[in-house]
Amino acid sequence: MENFINAKSLVDKARAGKYAVAHFNINNLEWTRSILEVAQETQSGIIIGVSEGAAKYMGGYHVVGNLVKSLMQDLKITAPIALHLDHGQSFEACQQALEAGFTSVMFDGSHLSFTENLAITKRVVELAKKYNASVEAEAGSIGGEEDGVVGLGEVADPNECKQLADLGIDILAAGINNVHGPYPEGWQGLNFDSLQKIAQVSNKPLVLHGGSGIPKEQVSKAISLGICKVNVNTELQEVFAAAIREYIVADKDKTKKGYDPRKIMRAPMDAIKNTAKELLTEFGSLGKS
Ligand code: 13P
């Protein structure tokens, strides 16, 4: 499948065109199918993100790799799709994902010393070359919690960003006061001064993690300053859960054959699709393939 690609060409194009590619985390079959349908219906390139926890939940990296590829084949998806390991915590996790057919990996060494982060990122870059896969690295850290990965939210040091960039990574995730999960009350907003410095010294496409709940004007400004990929998980989880809640609270599962999982899943899938389309529009990547 020539449209099952790594993330490099998607983010490079986004950088040149001053928009951001959407990275949507998936959690199950219905999620994956919804995202692929959005990509196809809008002819937009999308990065499918899978955390270590989500891969484990679904059965493992092979299940995920085969699920995405098989759905693309059976649904005749022609839009460009990358399958990306989100927040890989070790060299081994990146290796397993690549072996299972992922086209892109993030090594998140933010829980290590910077020297160790740099050393492992270097090894991941070398390994990924053998698979023609792209690599995302992390400098500083993203606050909050994502699937058991907890970050302190340190704003990235531009000098460390430069050192990671010089390893030949394709994408850089730098902490700029962004947070996974809902933003806490009194949050001070994104650190645009740091973003500007990091964009300049690293000269790489940058990623905005914690893409759920950031005010739209801040997202646009971040894109204008070098963000080329925005990661969203929580917002889709919220609309998925809300649609199920509405169905059950209205006793729809007790009406006719409303207990059929295919009926229960219809509204949450539509909710994911509608929200994903809105986000593609917000990021400027609707129709960009
Ligand atoms: P949110 O869950 O806050 O949208 O963050 C997603 C993310 O950054 C995945 O890496």
Side-chain angles (χ1 to χ4, degrees), residues 113-126:
S113 70
F114 182 66
T115 316
E116 286 170 301
N117 183 358
L118 200 65
I120 301 177
T121 302
K122 185 166 189 271
R123 287 174 62 209
V124 172
V125 168
E126 277 155 21

Side-chain angles (χ1 to χ4, degrees), residues 23 25 86-87 106 136 142 145-146 179-183 208-213 229 231-237:
H23 155 135
N25 287 77
D86 191 23
H87 293 284
M106 173 186 191
E136 176 178 333
I142 318 296
E145 192 235 317
E146 168 88 10
V179 175
H180 286 133
Y183 278 79
L208 181 60
H209 279 253
S212 304
K229 172 176 179 274
N231 289 13
V232 178
N233 190 12
T234 301
E235 193 167 339
L236 295 183
Q237 294 191 353

Side-chain angles (χ1 to χ4, degrees), residues 74-154:
D74 286 346
L75 300 176
K76 300 189 174 40
I77 304 295
T78 54
I81 301 292
L83 176 58
H84 177 80
L85 174 67
D86 191 23
H87 293 284
Q89 296 288 291
S90 63
F91 176 83
E92 290 71 26
C94 295
Q95 188 170 35
Q96 284 164 18
L98 291 169
E99 278 168 5
F102 281 50
T103 60
S104 186
V105 287
M106 173 186 191
F107 173 65
D108 168 5
S110 60
H111 55 296
L112 304 170
S113 70
F114 182 66
T115 316
E116 286 170 301
N117 183 358
L118 200 65
I120 301 177
T121 302
K122 185 166 189 271
R123 287 174 62 209
V124 172
V125 168
E126 277 155 21
L127 178 72
K129 275 193 198 132
K130 297 188 188 141
Y131 292 89
N132 188 29
S134 45
V135 175
E136 176 178 333
E138 176 155 327
S141 69
I142 318 296
E145 192 235 317
E146 168 88 10
D147 257 345
V149 178
V150 180
L152 295 173
E154 297 150 72

